Amino acid sequence: MSWTRVVPVLALLALAGTWGRDLGVVVVVIVALVLAAAVLAAVHHAEVVAHRVGEPFGSLVLAVAVTVIEVALIVTLMVSGGPESASLARDTVFAALMITTTGIVGLSLLLGAQRFRVTLFNAEGSGAALATVTTLAALSLVLPTFTTSQHGPEFSSSQLAFAALASLALYGMFVLTQTVRHRDFFLPVAQEGQREQEDCDEHAAPPSNREALVSLALLLVSLIAVVGLAKVESPAIEEAVAGVGFPPSFVGVVIALLVLLPETLAAARAARRGRIQTSLNLAYGSAMASIGLTIPTIALASFWLEGPLVLGLGSTQLVLLALTVVVSVLTIVPGRATRLQGGVHLVLLAAFLFLAVNP
């Protein structure tokens, strides 16, 4: 029995034993260690599933699975948090957007360029993904700042319904394009100087259907445990954030960092093997799913959630989003990138994190 099969069950038991209880410092540390192990197990099982179904389905499975549970976590925290959590969905979604489009993309390009000097990827597929992410972000996070039907950076009920339907439509169209109509746009591109024998996993026999189904089940268990344990850790996170003097909105950043750990590790491992397109599929797919699935869910949840629902970004966030879009376009259009582009994206992530701490 391998550790990758034991850890998800152990993490689920830890979740059941700690849910809804006040935890001491020692238990908080133990839960954090179990959480980290569950993240590593999730990455392993995601790669097994991805190897069985092939690209881009493997990236899609991980992105959607993580995002669905992320949405459940956001709704749970908003229900229990009351009016004080009015901006939690915005903070978490924007954090996920910045972490994926600057952090995961930048790290993947940097790791790929370290080995292959110049990284190659499919500009058509990545450009289509970036265009969809940008449109989703503008419809759901930018427009509420400028609409006038509702006081403050909020949507009216009809505007929220339109944003929800538009988000679902865009996400559905992209998934159809990625998996059916133009699947070849999202397949990995061979790097210059890369030998076929270098990637043993790519040429190894795919796992059997039974192994893939077991890994899929354990992946879901791992992700449920990751998000659930993140919720268990959230009071300690909130206390730590308040204790060091960070703004309350930084809680959303921490949640996004925890939830996106499996995708970050999977993207980094793919980049080191020269599969930059897989890394970009994970990054933009996660950003797209985060917005495209969260906004419709929040729109439905708004019927029973009390208090306002703040979605519009502030001025600093708008500047960061605009700069990220411009830099991402300049990175993606050529279909090739160096360590410089990776470094530029990571500096943008550092700016986002710094300004989240010190607005």
Side-chain angles (χ1 to χ4, degrees), residues 1 6 63 149 173 184 188 209 304:
M1 183 70 70
V6 174
S149 298
M173 290 169 61
D184 55 311
N209 288 335
W304 71 82

Side-chain angles (χ1 to χ4, degrees), residues 86-107:
S87 63
L88 178 64
R90 179 201 65 185
D91 296 336
T92 306
V93 169
F94 182 64
L97 175 65
M98 292 300 295
I99 291 166
T100 52
T101 57
T102 62
I104 296 180
V105 170
L107 179 63

Side-chain angles (χ1 to χ4, degrees), residues 136-153:
L136 285 169
L139 287 175
S140 303
L141 301 176
V142 176
L143 284 180
T145 303
F146 300 100
T147 53
T148 58
S149 298
Q150 193 80 1
H151 177 70

Side-chain angles (χ1 to χ4, degrees), residues 51-52 200-208 211:
H51 194 193
R52 183 68 186 90
C200 298
D201 293 335
E202 186 176 354
H203 298 282
S208 64
E211 292 173 328

Side-chain angles (χ1 to χ4, degrees), residues 6-359:
V6 174
V7 165
V9 178
L10 179 63
L12 203 60
L13 292 175
L15 175 61
T18 57
W19 186 264
R21 299 183 181 181
D22 294 328
L23 307 181
V25 176
V26 175
V27 179
V28 167
V29 173
I30 293 174
V31 169
L33 294 175
V34 174
L35 173 61
V39 168
L40 296 176
V43 172
H44 168 79
H45 292 298
E47 291 186 338
V48 172
V49 174
H51 194 193
R52 183 68 186 90
V53 301
E55 283 296 321
F57 298 102
S59 302
L60 185 64
V61 167
L62 181 56
V64 172
V66 168
T67 304
V68 167
I69 302 174
E70 175 192 349
V71 171
L73 176 60
I74 292 173
V75 173
T76 301
L77 292 176
M78 290 186 70
V79 170
S80 60
E84 292 79 12
S85 61
S87 63
L88 178 64
R90 179 201 65 185
D91 296 336
T92 306
V93 169
F94 182 64
L97 175 65
M98 292 300 295
I99 291 166
T100 52
T101 57
T102 62
I104 296 180
V105 170
L107 179 63
S108 300
L109 295 179
L110 189 62
L111 290 174
Q114 283 288 103
R115 180 178 179 187
F116 300 102
R117 295 178 62 86
V118 177
T119 59
L120 304 178
F121 48 86
N122 197 317
E124 289 88 349
S126 300
L130 177 60
T132 308
V133 169
T134 303
T135 303
L136 285 169
L139 287 175
S140 303
L141 301 176
V142 176
L143 284 180
T145 303
F146 300 100
T147 53
T148 58
S149 298
Q150 193 80 1
H151 177 70
E154 305 171 33
F155 271 148
S156 65
S157 298
S158 58
Q159 290 169 342
L160 183 59
F162 172 80
L165 292 174
S167 297
L168 283 175
L170 280 172
Y171 187 67
M173 290 169 61
F174 178 80
V175 171
L176 180 65
T177 300
Q178 184 185 36
T179 58
V180 180
R181 303 288 292 183
H182 299 286
R183 183 186 172 192
D184 55 311
F185 287 176
F186 302 91
L187 297 178
V189 177
Q191 305 299 309
E192 294 179 354
Q194 182 181 21
R195 300 189 304 272
E196 291 186 0
Q197 292 81 4
E198 288 180 352
D199 191 353
C200 298
D201 293 335
E202 186 176 354
H203 298 282
S208 64
N209 288 335
R210 181 179 179 276
E211 292 173 328
L213 288 174
V214 170
S215 283
L216 179 60
L218 290 173
L219 170 63
L220 294 177
V221 170
S222 299
L223 293 175
I224 291 171
V226 167
V227 179
L229 292 176
K231 171 64 171 67
V232 169
E233 294 275 283
S234 61
I237 293 172
E238 292 172 356
E239 291 178 7
V241 167
V244 296
F246 291 174
S249 59
F250 194 73
V251 174
V253 178
V254 176
I255 291 172
L257 285 169
L258 288 173
V259 172
L260 288 171
L261 265 178
E263 280 136 321
T264 303
L265 294 177
R269 292 180 67 172
R272 284 196 294 266
R273 297 200 303 265
R275 299 169 68 84
I276 306 300
Q277 187 61 52
T278 299
S279 301
L280 296 180
N281 290 347
L282 280 167
Y284 292 127
S286 298
M288 200 181 308
S290 182
I291 304 174
L293 297 179
T294 299
I295 300 304
T297 305
I298 294 299
L300 287 176
S302 64
F303 286 108
W304 71 82
L305 288 175
E306 298 181 359
L309 178 61
V310 177
L311 289 177
L313 298 174
S315 55
T316 302
Q317 295 168 318
L318 288 173
V319 171
L320 283 172
L321 177 61
L323 184 57
T324 298
V325 170
V326 172
V327 170
S328 297
V329 170
L330 295 175
T331 297
I332 295 302
V333 167
R336 53 198 292 130
T338 65
R339 284 178 290 185
L340 175 61
Q341 283 93 336
V344 169
H345 281 265
L346 291 176
V347 168
L348 282 175
L349 174 66
F352 161 70
L353 293 174
F354 175 76
L355 292 173
V357 171
N358 189 13

